[in-house]
mmCIF file of all heavy atoms in Angstrom:
data_model
loop_
_atom_site.group_PDB
_atom_site.id
_atom_site.type_symbol
_atom_site.label_atom_id
_atom_site.label_comp_id
_atom_site.label_asym_id
_atom_site.label_seq_id
_atom_site.Cartn_x
_atom_site.Cartn_y
_atom_site.Cartn_z
ATOM 1 N N ARG A 457 -1.126 114.879 53.471
ATOM 2 C CA ARG A 457 -2.475 114.917 54.268
ATOM 3 C C ARG A 457 -3.417 114.077 53.568
ATOM 4 O O ARG A 457 -4.220 113.422 54.330
ATOM 5 C CB ARG A 457 -2.861 116.424 54.225
ATOM 6 C CG ARG A 457 -2.068 117.324 55.167
ATOM 7 C CD ARG A 457 -2.664 118.630 55.410
ATOM 8 N NE ARG A 457 -2.695 119.483 54.210
ATOM 9 C CZ ARG A 457 -1.818 120.242 53.759
ATOM 10 N NH1 ARG A 457 -0.630 120.439 54.359
ATOM 11 N NH2 ARG A 457 -1.973 120.908 52.652
ATOM 12 N N GLN A 458 -3.517 114.038 52.279
ATOM 13 C CA GLN A 458 -4.454 113.064 51.614
ATOM 14 C C GLN A 458 -4.264 111.677 51.899
ATOM 15 O O GLN A 458 -5.166 110.909 52.147
ATOM 16 C CB GLN A 458 -4.477 113.332 50.096
ATOM 17 C CG GLN A 458 -5.006 114.641 49.583
ATOM 18 C CD GLN A 458 -4.806 114.967 48.105
ATOM 19 O OE1 GLN A 458 -4.071 114.261 47.496
ATOM 20 N NE2 GLN A 458 -5.528 115.894 47.616
ATOM 21 N N LEU A 459 -3.034 111.234 51.855
ATOM 22 C CA LEU A 459 -2.675 109.838 52.204
ATOM 23 C C LEU A 459 -2.937 109.494 53.564
ATOM 24 O O LEU A 459 -3.355 108.424 53.837
ATOM 25 C CB LEU A 459 -1.114 109.583 51.832
ATOM 26 C CG LEU A 459 -0.753 109.659 50.412
ATOM 27 C CD1 LEU A 459 0.833 109.634 50.309
ATOM 28 C CD2 LEU A 459 -1.322 108.524 49.584
ATOM 29 N N LYS A 460 -2.643 110.451 54.513
ATOM 30 C CA LYS A 460 -2.834 110.135 55.922
ATOM 31 C C LYS A 460 -4.466 109.981 56.161
ATOM 32 O O LYS A 460 -4.823 109.100 56.923
ATOM 33 C CB LYS A 460 -2.395 111.358 56.793
ATOM 34 C CG LYS A 460 -0.931 111.355 56.964
ATOM 35 C CD LYS A 460 -0.602 112.462 57.928
ATOM 36 C CE LYS A 460 1.010 112.478 58.254
ATOM 37 N NZ LYS A 460 1.187 113.655 59.165
ATOM 38 N N THR A 461 -5.222 110.730 55.381
ATOM 39 C CA THR A 461 -6.743 110.592 55.564
ATOM 40 C C THR A 461 -7.133 109.208 55.001
ATOM 41 O O THR A 461 -7.939 108.601 55.666
ATOM 42 C CB THR A 461 -7.426 111.699 54.682
ATOM 43 O OG1 THR A 461 -7.058 113.096 55.247
ATOM 44 C CG2 THR A 461 -8.857 111.561 54.874
ATOM 45 N N ARG A 462 -6.660 108.859 53.919
ATOM 46 C CA ARG A 462 -6.916 107.604 53.422
ATOM 47 C C ARG A 462 -6.564 106.373 54.178
ATOM 48 O O ARG A 462 -7.237 105.444 54.472
ATOM 49 C CB ARG A 462 -6.301 107.311 51.973
ATOM 50 C CG ARG A 462 -7.058 108.214 50.833
ATOM 51 C CD ARG A 462 -6.510 107.795 49.474
ATOM 52 N NE ARG A 462 -7.042 108.595 48.437
ATOM 53 C CZ ARG A 462 -6.759 108.482 47.175
ATOM 54 N NH1 ARG A 462 -5.940 107.510 46.803
ATOM 55 N NH2 ARG A 462 -7.291 109.229 46.181
ATOM 56 N N LEU A 463 -5.351 106.464 54.845
ATOM 57 C CA LEU A 463 -4.837 105.411 55.662
ATOM 58 C C LEU A 463 -5.587 105.384 56.906
ATOM 59 O O LEU A 463 -5.737 104.307 57.563
ATOM 60 C CB LEU A 463 -3.335 105.612 55.857
ATOM 61 C CG LEU A 463 -2.380 105.322 54.758
ATOM 62 C CD1 LEU A 463 -1.047 105.663 55.060
ATOM 63 C CD2 LEU A 463 -2.447 103.725 54.488
ATOM 64 N N GLU A 464 -6.077 106.624 57.318
ATOM 65 C CA GLU A 464 -6.901 106.525 58.634
ATOM 66 C C GLU A 464 -8.213 105.768 58.354
ATOM 67 O O GLU A 464 -8.704 105.169 59.240
ATOM 68 C CB GLU A 464 -7.215 108.022 59.102
ATOM 69 C CG GLU A 464 -6.043 108.657 59.772
ATOM 70 C CD GLU A 464 -6.266 110.128 60.011
ATOM 71 O OE1 GLU A 464 -7.393 110.630 59.700
ATOM 72 O OE2 GLU A 464 -5.357 110.810 60.462
ATOM 73 N N GLN A 465 -8.781 105.904 57.063
ATOM 74 C CA GLN A 465 -10.028 105.207 56.832
ATOM 75 C C GLN A 465 -9.743 103.706 56.823
ATOM 76 O O GLN A 465 -10.438 102.883 57.265
ATOM 77 C CB GLN A 465 -10.483 105.691 55.512
ATOM 78 C CG GLN A 465 -10.935 107.056 55.482
ATOM 79 C CD GLN A 465 -11.277 107.677 54.033
ATOM 80 O OE1 GLN A 465 -11.020 106.932 53.054
ATOM 81 N NE2 GLN A 465 -11.854 108.896 54.012
ATOM 82 N N VAL A 466 -8.581 103.226 56.172
ATOM 83 C CA VAL A 466 -8.166 101.858 56.100
ATOM 84 C C VAL A 466 -7.945 101.443 57.528
ATOM 85 O O VAL A 466 -8.391 100.300 57.879
ATOM 86 C CB VAL A 466 -6.888 101.692 55.134
ATOM 87 C CG1 VAL A 466 -6.446 100.178 55.360
ATOM 88 C CG2 VAL A 466 -7.192 102.106 53.770
ATOM 89 N N ASP A 467 -7.294 102.150 58.343
ATOM 90 C CA ASP A 467 -7.023 101.726 59.781
ATOM 91 C C ASP A 467 -8.219 101.605 60.583
ATOM 92 O O ASP A 467 -8.403 100.724 61.484
ATOM 93 C CB ASP A 467 -6.055 102.829 60.357
ATOM 94 C CG ASP A 467 -5.572 102.345 61.842
ATOM 95 O OD1 ASP A 467 -5.191 101.169 61.884
ATOM 96 O OD2 ASP A 467 -5.480 103.116 62.693
ATOM 97 N N SER A 468 -9.269 102.446 60.330
ATOM 98 C CA SER A 468 -10.485 102.391 61.061
ATOM 99 C C SER A 468 -11.133 101.061 60.710
ATOM 100 O O SER A 468 -11.815 100.368 61.582
ATOM 101 C CB SER A 468 -11.306 103.509 60.792
ATOM 102 O OG SER A 468 -11.722 103.674 59.378
ATOM 103 N N ARG A 469 -11.212 100.632 59.400
ATOM 104 C CA ARG A 469 -11.768 99.381 59.038
ATOM 105 C C ARG A 469 -11.025 98.298 59.677
ATOM 106 O O ARG A 469 -11.633 97.291 60.155
ATOM 107 C CB ARG A 469 -11.755 99.171 57.566
ATOM 108 C CG ARG A 469 -12.738 100.094 56.822
ATOM 109 C CD ARG A 469 -13.014 99.727 55.427
ATOM 110 N NE ARG A 469 -11.800 99.740 54.534
ATOM 111 C CZ ARG A 469 -11.399 100.896 53.857
ATOM 112 N NH1 ARG A 469 -12.183 101.976 53.801
ATOM 113 N NH2 ARG A 469 -10.275 100.907 53.085
ATOM 114 N N ARG A 470 -9.620 98.404 59.711
ATOM 115 C CA ARG A 470 -8.816 97.260 60.313
ATOM 116 C C ARG A 470 -9.084 97.165 61.827
ATOM 117 O O ARG A 470 -9.319 96.098 62.319
ATOM 118 C CB ARG A 470 -7.324 97.574 60.136
ATOM 119 C CG ARG A 470 -6.423 96.423 60.492
ATOM 120 C CD ARG A 470 -4.954 96.836 60.287
ATOM 121 N NE ARG A 470 -4.565 97.072 59.010
ATOM 122 C CZ ARG A 470 -4.290 96.052 58.116
ATOM 123 N NH1 ARG A 470 -4.210 94.877 58.580
ATOM 124 N NH2 ARG A 470 -3.956 96.263 56.964
ATOM 125 N N THR A 471 -9.315 98.398 62.499
ATOM 126 C CA THR A 471 -9.690 98.385 63.869
ATOM 127 C C THR A 471 -11.087 97.690 64.122
ATOM 128 O O THR A 471 -11.145 97.024 65.040
ATOM 129 C CB THR A 471 -9.556 99.796 64.445
ATOM 130 O OG1 THR A 471 -8.319 100.422 64.165
ATOM 131 C CG2 THR A 471 -9.900 99.844 65.950
ATOM 132 N N MET A 472 -11.872 98.059 63.228
ATOM 133 C CA MET A 472 -13.313 97.519 63.345
ATOM 134 C C MET A 472 -13.260 95.919 63.240
ATOM 135 O O MET A 472 -13.966 95.206 63.945
ATOM 136 C CB MET A 472 -14.189 97.953 62.322
ATOM 137 C CG MET A 472 -15.632 97.689 62.462
ATOM 138 S SD MET A 472 -16.758 98.366 61.258
ATOM 139 C CE MET A 472 -16.398 100.134 61.598
ATOM 140 N N ASN A 473 -12.416 95.496 62.299
ATOM 141 C CA ASN A 473 -12.350 94.007 62.178
ATOM 142 C C ASN A 473 -11.680 93.344 63.439
ATOM 143 O O ASN A 473 -12.134 92.336 63.801
ATOM 144 C CB ASN A 473 -11.358 93.782 60.901
ATOM 145 C CG ASN A 473 -12.098 94.065 59.678
ATOM 146 O OD1 ASN A 473 -13.352 94.028 59.567
ATOM 147 N ND2 ASN A 473 -11.234 94.315 58.606
ATOM 148 N N ARG A 474 -10.690 94.065 63.994
ATOM 149 C CA ARG A 474 -10.122 93.497 65.269
ATOM 150 C C ARG A 474 -11.125 93.463 66.388
ATOM 151 O O ARG A 474 -11.207 92.549 67.065
ATOM 152 C CB ARG A 474 -8.908 94.334 65.649
ATOM 153 C CG ARG A 474 -7.620 94.115 64.897
ATOM 154 C CD ARG A 474 -6.414 94.573 65.643
ATOM 155 N NE ARG A 474 -6.408 96.063 65.670
ATOM 156 C CZ ARG A 474 -5.812 96.891 64.753
ATOM 157 N NH1 ARG A 474 -5.011 96.390 63.806
ATOM 158 N NH2 ARG A 474 -5.823 98.144 64.875
ATOM 159 N N GLN A 475 -11.956 94.542 66.565
ATOM 160 C CA GLN A 475 -12.993 94.565 67.582
ATOM 161 C C GLN A 475 -13.982 93.469 67.259
ATOM 162 O O GLN A 475 -14.491 92.842 68.283
ATOM 163 C CB GLN A 475 -13.704 95.926 67.556
ATOM 164 C CG GLN A 475 -12.802 97.044 68.010
ATOM 165 C CD GLN A 475 -13.364 98.384 67.786
ATOM 166 O OE1 GLN A 475 -14.414 98.553 67.137
ATOM 167 N NE2 GLN A 475 -12.786 99.479 68.449
ATOM 168 N N ASN A 476 -14.337 93.212 66.053
ATOM 169 C CA ASN A 476 -15.233 92.119 65.713
ATOM 170 C C ASN A 476 -14.675 90.743 66.200
ATOM 171 O O ASN A 476 -15.373 89.931 66.712
ATOM 172 C CB ASN A 476 -15.604 92.099 64.289
ATOM 173 C CG ASN A 476 -16.508 93.218 63.863
ATOM 174 O OD1 ASN A 476 -17.244 93.822 64.766
ATOM 175 N ND2 ASN A 476 -16.406 93.595 62.614
ATOM 176 N N ARG A 477 -13.385 90.514 65.981
ATOM 177 C CA ARG A 477 -12.708 89.304 66.384
ATOM 178 C C ARG A 477 -12.744 89.235 67.881
ATOM 179 O O ARG A 477 -12.919 88.083 68.403
ATOM 180 C CB ARG A 477 -11.320 89.258 65.752
ATOM 181 C CG ARG A 477 -11.250 89.204 64.222
ATOM 182 C CD ARG A 477 -9.882 88.743 63.779
ATOM 183 N NE ARG A 477 -8.743 89.476 64.213
ATOM 184 C CZ ARG A 477 -8.180 90.462 63.464
ATOM 185 N NH1 ARG A 477 -8.752 90.624 62.297
ATOM 186 N NH2 ARG A 477 -7.138 91.174 63.853
ATOM 187 N N VAL A 478 -12.575 90.325 68.562
ATOM 188 C CA VAL A 478 -12.511 90.266 70.049
ATOM 189 C C VAL A 478 -13.933 89.913 70.564
ATOM 190 O O VAL A 478 -14.088 89.121 71.484
ATOM 191 C CB VAL A 478 -12.062 91.629 70.678
ATOM 192 C CG1 VAL A 478 -12.253 91.640 72.117
ATOM 193 C CG2 VAL A 478 -10.661 91.927 70.329
ATOM 194 N N ARG A 479 -14.985 90.467 69.992
ATOM 195 C CA ARG A 479 -16.375 90.309 70.330
ATOM 196 C C ARG A 479 -16.687 88.718 70.113
ATOM 197 O O ARG A 479 -17.466 88.095 70.806
ATOM 198 C CB ARG A 479 -17.283 91.167 69.697
ATOM 199 C CG ARG A 479 -17.429 92.503 70.272
ATOM 200 C CD ARG A 479 -18.554 93.328 69.811
ATOM 201 N NE ARG A 479 -18.542 93.711 68.362
ATOM 202 C CZ ARG A 479 -17.959 94.788 67.770
ATOM 203 N NH1 ARG A 479 -17.613 95.747 68.704
ATOM 204 N NH2 ARG A 479 -17.890 94.966 66.551
ATOM 205 N N ALA A 480 -16.130 88.269 68.983
ATOM 206 C CA ALA A 480 -16.368 86.878 68.632
ATOM 207 C C ALA A 480 -15.504 85.824 69.418
ATOM 208 O O ALA A 480 -15.584 84.653 69.209
ATOM 209 C CB ALA A 480 -16.200 86.515 67.132
ATOM 210 N N GLU A 481 -14.662 86.395 70.387
ATOM 211 C CA GLU A 481 -13.797 85.703 71.216
ATOM 212 C C GLU A 481 -12.786 84.783 70.321
ATOM 213 O O GLU A 481 -12.603 83.676 70.675
ATOM 214 C CB GLU A 481 -14.428 84.853 72.202
ATOM 215 C CG GLU A 481 -15.301 85.731 73.251
ATOM 216 C CD GLU A 481 -15.847 84.953 74.315
ATOM 217 O OE1 GLU A 481 -15.844 83.641 74.252
ATOM 218 O OE2 GLU A 481 -16.335 85.531 75.363
ATOM 219 N N ILE A 482 -12.310 85.395 69.271
ATOM 220 C CA ILE A 482 -11.382 84.687 68.342
ATOM 221 C C ILE A 482 -10.054 85.328 68.583
ATOM 222 O O ILE A 482 -9.773 86.345 68.314
ATOM 223 C CB ILE A 482 -11.743 84.702 66.910
ATOM 224 C CG1 ILE A 482 -13.148 84.172 66.660
ATOM 225 C CG2 ILE A 482 -10.726 83.914 65.992
ATOM 226 C CD1 ILE A 482 -13.547 84.309 65.248
ATOM 227 N N PRO A 483 -8.993 84.525 69.304
ATOM 228 C CA PRO A 483 -7.737 85.128 69.535
ATOM 229 C C PRO A 483 -6.970 85.326 68.192
ATOM 230 O O PRO A 483 -7.239 84.734 67.222
ATOM 231 C CB PRO A 483 -6.995 84.174 70.361
ATOM 232 C CG PRO A 483 -7.766 82.825 70.079
ATOM 233 C CD PRO A 483 -9.240 83.154 69.718
ATOM 234 N N THR A 484 -6.007 86.352 68.304
ATOM 235 C CA THR A 484 -5.180 86.658 67.062
ATOM 236 C C THR A 484 -3.822 86.315 67.437
ATOM 237 O O THR A 484 -3.173 86.523 68.465
ATOM 238 C CB THR A 484 -5.185 88.246 66.846
ATOM 239 O OG1 THR A 484 -6.562 88.529 66.477
ATOM 240 C CG2 THR A 484 -4.322 88.551 65.620
ATOM 241 N N VAL A 485 -3.143 85.697 66.383
ATOM 242 C CA VAL A 485 -1.689 85.295 66.517
ATOM 243 C C VAL A 485 -0.994 86.036 65.370
ATOM 244 O O VAL A 485 -1.315 85.828 64.262
ATOM 245 C CB VAL A 485 -1.584 83.836 66.467
ATOM 246 C CG1 VAL A 485 -0.067 83.402 66.497
ATOM 247 C CG2 VAL A 485 -2.298 82.949 67.496
ATOM 248 N N ALA A 486 0.103 86.763 65.715
ATOM 249 C CA ALA A 486 0.840 87.578 64.813
ATOM 250 C C ALA A 486 2.183 86.900 64.476
ATOM 251 O O ALA A 486 2.891 86.467 65.423
ATOM 252 C CB ALA A 486 1.059 89.005 65.305
ATOM 253 N N LEU A 487 2.547 86.783 63.169
ATOM 254 C CA LEU A 487 3.768 86.241 62.758
ATOM 255 C C LEU A 487 4.728 87.469 62.578
ATOM 256 O O LEU A 487 4.455 88.480 61.789
ATOM 257 C CB LEU A 487 3.691 85.576 61.455
ATOM 258 C CG LEU A 487 3.480 84.081 61.513
ATOM 259 C CD1 LEU A 487 3.239 83.586 60.080
ATOM 260 C CD2 LEU A 487 4.664 83.300 62.105
ATOM 261 N N VAL A 488 5.813 87.526 63.308
ATOM 262 C CA VAL A 488 6.765 88.558 63.152
ATOM 263 C C VAL A 488 8.086 87.969 63.019
ATOM 264 O O VAL A 488 8.414 86.694 63.382
ATOM 265 C CB VAL A 488 6.846 89.526 64.367
ATOM 266 C CG1 VAL A 488 5.399 90.092 64.601
ATOM 267 C CG2 VAL A 488 7.377 88.935 65.627
#
């Protein structure tokens, strides 16, 4: 439960970064 909480915090920051990129109209390319 502790790890999930920490990862949710990390994920929220990652989501915020993605939203900022969308607002800045910078496309994302993923290497898989």
Side-chain angles (χ1 to χ4, degrees):
R457 290 190 295 273
Q458 291 174 344
L459 290 171
K460 284 182 176 180
T461 300
R462 290 190 181 182
L463 284 171
E464 286 172 359
Q465 295 171 352
V466 174
D467 188 42
S468 64
R469 290 195 295 270
R470 189 184 293 277
T471 301
M472 189 179 299
N473 290 335
R474 281 197 294 264
Q475 291 172 345
N476 290 336
R477 296 200 296 264
V478 172
R479 284 195 291 268
E481 296 187 347
I482 303 176
T484 299
V485 178
L487 270 176
V488 306

